[in-house]
Amino acid sequence: MAADHEYRFSFGPWNIGEGADPFGPEVRTPYTFAKKLDWFESLGFEGVQFHDDDVVENLEELSPEKCLEKAREVRKVLEDRSLVAEFVAPRLWFHPQTVDGGFTANSAADRQYALDRTLRTIDIAREVGTKAVVIWLAREGTYIREAKDAKLAYERILETLNKMLAYDPEISIWIEPKPNEPTDQAYVPTIGHAVAMAYQSDDPSRVGGLIESAHALLAGLDPADEMAFALAHDKLGSVHLNDQNGLKYDQDKSFGSANLRSAFNQVRVLDENGYGKRGEFIGLDVKVMRTQRQEGSVDHLVNSKATFLHLVEKVRTLDKDLERQYIEARDYEALDAYILRHLMGISS
Ligand code: GLO
Ligand code: MG
């Protein structure tokens, strides 16, 4: 079977962006949600990743009933197009009450806001047709280390996870670790932290992680090994494949753009461990380069998906006998050279 029929792909509407960065405004005009959905279909992406307010715009201004009604409408729109919601994530980093974080904010009122908004996200997730809620702990951290009590912060995050689990016995929580940005020091910086919190929670079977390649790289870790760790614990809910050129701002480059060999090893660990066989998505979290013209707004998605599929072929055509021989002979120079030749398409 061709690999593109074996894997399901997803991205989020924010991945078709307008190019604003901290130093300049938008350079492209926004597309409507409906137009973005056209691309999901035409580019072969079945899953839509959502923030709560991607599903229901201005949700703060709507009554809970109206909010759920809107979510049901979106579900219908998705169904009509044979698309599904992969997950919903509470956007806990835009609102004035999340300036100091959400679950770990020093203000009790702000923590309550974050919890209420997260429980509302669970309701939205249910109505839009997914049982997965992603927690990207954007501002759960500090700009100066002394600003928060880190032990207390971890206790507060755990308490929130438990309240979420109790609120809806069907949801799963996928924690998306990231070591920094927007904060200087973020809590739950790696998948190891996320998995530890999963085991510590009231229902470990419903808590796992979502690994983003760039976030692992920002932590100085190898994304493929991070994925292997989560897989070894059966805790890899999803992935955000992308790339990152060193320890810089979070770049969300196209998958494989900075380090093709690292991308190969990520695909390998997923493909060889049956990731996707239970419906897990190959999720992308890739940014349009600011320099792209309007008409090039989705090329990064097309290219990232194509690179993933080419690398599946590279994984499956690797000469495993030869690899084993090099490993048995402890000739890692030969193994290294073979991997490079294979990636470059040199047959001998
Ligand atoms: C930012 C994160 C962000 C999340 C998204 C879903 O660095 O990668 O894009 O993936 O908000 O939770
Ligand atoms: Mg991400």
Side-chain angles (χ1 to χ4, degrees):
M1 206 198 311
D4 53 344
H5 295 300
E6 288 172 52
Y7 282 105
R8 309 164 83 192
F9 295 88
S10 73
F11 68 88
W14 65 89
N15 289 137
I16 305 176
E18 291 80 50
D21 68 18
F23 304 98
E26 288 77 9
V27 289
R28 293 175 293 272
T29 50
Y31 290 102
T32 61
F33 181 55
K35 174 66 197 163
K36 289 183 182 179
L37 289 184
D38 289 346
W39 271 313
F40 275 89
E41 285 184 280
S42 63
L43 305 181
F45 287 80
E46 182 192 344
V48 185
Q49 308 170 16
F50 283 108
H51 296 121
D52 50 2
D53 56 4
D54 295 324
V55 183
V56 183
E57 251 183 280
N58 304 320
L59 61 92
E60 307 272 356
E61 290 154 31
L62 305 178
S63 69
E65 297 71 36
K66 190 79 199 153
C67 186
L68 298 187
E69 190 186 313
K70 293 259 179 205
R72 279 192 289 276
E73 280 168 29
V74 174
R75 182 184 187 147
K76 178 84 182 60
V77 169
L78 296 179
E79 280 170 2
D80 288 347
R81 293 169 177 259
S82 301
L83 301 176
V84 294
E86 184 194 6
F87 65 73
V88 185
R91 196 196 293 272
L92 289 174
W93 52 94
F94 254 70
H95 192 272
Q97 277 194 272
T98 59
V99 169
D100 188 32
F103 314 141
T104 69
N106 282 323
S107 143
D110 290 352
R111 290 199 301 278
Q112 188 61 47
Y113 167 82
L115 176 64
D116 293 345
R117 172 105 183 216
T118 302
L119 299 184
R120 221 165 160 187
T121 299
I122 295 175
D123 294 334
I124 291 173
R126 199 189 305 117
E127 297 304 325
V128 83
T130 176
K131 293 184 166 62
V133 173
V134 165
I135 297 290
W136 170 46
L137 297 157
R139 296 192 190 279
E140 312 298 356
T142 54
Y143 298 94
I144 58 158
R145 174 62 185 79
E146 297 81 6
K148 287 180 188 169
D149 175 336
K151 179 167 176 285
L152 183 61
Y154 277 108
E155 287 162 5
R156 285 177 168 160
I157 292 169
L158 179 64
E159 198 184 316
T160 309
L161 296 177
N162 287 337
K163 284 184 178 154
M164 292 171 70
L165 292 168
Y167 183 73
D168 184 334
E170 297 216 307
I171 58 138
S172 290
I173 304 169
W174 301 338
I175 302 170
E176 182 180 346
K178 184 177 181 184
N180 60 276
E181 199 203 40
T183 58
D184 174 34
Q185 303 283 355
Y187 302 130
V188 197
T190 71
I191 197 65
H193 293 76
V195 168
M197 297 213 71
Y199 287 129
Q200 207 185 6
S201 77
D202 288 343
D203 189 352
S205 70
R206 291 196 287 137
V207 185
L210 180 157
I211 296 180
E212 174 163 326
S213 325
H215 296 180
L217 291 164
L218 285 169
L221 298 168
D222 178 71
D225 281 354
E226 289 288 273
M227 289 171 192
F229 179 83
L231 287 165
H233 291 266
D234 195 15
K235 293 224 166 293
L236 190 58
S238 193
V239 290
H240 270 175
L241 299 185
N242 60 15
D243 213 348
Q244 171 75 25
N245 188 20
L247 299 182
K248 298 174 185 167
Y249 61 96
D250 184 13
Q251 297 182 311
D252 296 338
K253 283 174 177 281
S254 291
F255 184 51
S257 161
N259 189 336
L260 197 55
R261 185 173 187 169
S262 164
F264 165 76
N265 282 308
Q266 292 171 61
V267 175
R268 185 171 188 183
V269 80
L270 296 173
D271 196 56
E272 291 184 348
N273 288 291
Y275 178 87
K277 293 221 164 26
R278 289 177 295 177
E280 303 96 322
F281 280 89
I282 296 299
L284 302 178
D285 196 359
V286 287
K287 211 173 276 169
V288 192
M289 278 190 235
R290 192 163 195 266
T291 44
Q292 280 298 89
R293 296 184 198 285
Q294 186 77 28
E295 59 275 18
S297 292
V298 295
D299 296 351
H300 61 310
L301 294 162
V302 174
N303 295 338
S304 294
K305 183 181 170 210
T307 299
F308 176 87
L309 291 170
H310 284 309
L311 289 174
V312 171
E313 283 315 298
K314 285 288 170 190
V315 167
R316 294 182 184 174
T317 54
L318 192 77
D319 185 339
K320 306 277 171 10
D321 283 338
L322 192 57
E323 184 183 52
R324 201 176 46 249
Q325 284 168 32
Y326 290 142
I327 289 171
E328 276 167 12
R330 217 179 66 202
D331 191 351
Y332 302 149
E333 276 296 347
L335 177 59
D336 189 35
Y338 169 59
I339 298 290
L340 291 182
R341 282 200 311 277
H342 184 65
L343 289 178
M344 288 188 285
I346 301 168
S347 52
S348 58

